Amino acid sequence: MIPAASAGSANLSGSRQPLSPEELRKMNAYWRAANYLSVGQIYLFANPLLRETLKLEHVKPRLLGHWGTTPGLNFIYVHFNRLIKKYDLNVIYVCGPGHGGPGMVANSYLEGTYSEFYSSIQQTKRA
């Protein structure tokens, strides 16, 4: 059996209480934001904030990424982040390259690490 955490890390068998309504609201909002960003990466060339009516020229002719993979990866990411923060875990979420890439980019953008590596991409609205 593989231990849930390394020696000296927090005990993960703590409280089995359900999440509070506020925790659920925040996690759901984060998950929806990650999904929105992922969809934009997969399908759109332009107009990601939908400031104008969506047009055919905004949509990519060849899609990169797979919508069927992305929501699940985003779901795991948001829940795993909750556990990392709650138990101060020193872990990393590893997923293979490929169709789920937009999900990982979306999450790293939302948490700010994407902008640390790609300083030209900041967490601001763009025209």
Side-chain angles (χ1 to χ4, degrees):
M1 183 170 138
I2 300 172
S6 62
S9 65
N11 180 4
L12 295 178
S13 64
S15 171
R16 296 194 184 264
Q17 298 298 314
L19 298 175
S20 71
E22 182 64 9
E23 284 177 305
L24 285 173
R25 184 192 66 75
K26 287 179 178 179
M27 290 173 65
N28 189 359
Y30 185 97
W31 185 59
R32 288 188 337 263
N35 286 336
Y36 184 89
L37 290 172
S38 300
V39 166
Q41 291 174 74
I42 294 169
Y43 293 100
L44 298 177
F45 266 135
N47 192 22
L49 298 178
L50 300 177
R51 291 185 175 157
E52 60 181 274
T53 302
L54 193 59
K55 298 175 185 165
L56 188 55
E57 58 262 21
H58 297 150
V59 180
K60 294 177 180 177
R62 184 168 188 272
L63 306 180
L64 297 174
H66 190 323
W67 177 244
T69 302
T70 305
L73 291 173
N74 290 340
F75 185 83
I76 292 168
Y77 201 102
V78 70
H79 283 278
F80 202 43
N81 255 358
R82 178 182 62 84
L83 294 173
I84 290 168
K85 290 177 182 181
K86 181 175 182 178
Y87 296 107
D88 193 28
L89 300 176
N90 186 19
V91 298
I92 186 170
Y93 175 20
V94 178
C95 72
H99 296 298
M104 297 303 98
V105 171
N107 283 285
S108 64
Y109 176 80
L110 285 172
E111 67 185 20
T113 54
Y114 193 87
S115 297
E116 289 176 18
F117 288 96
Y118 301 99
S119 58
S120 63
I121 308 294
Q122 294 299 310
Q123 292 178 305
T124 57
K125 291 182 184 178
R126 294 184 182 221

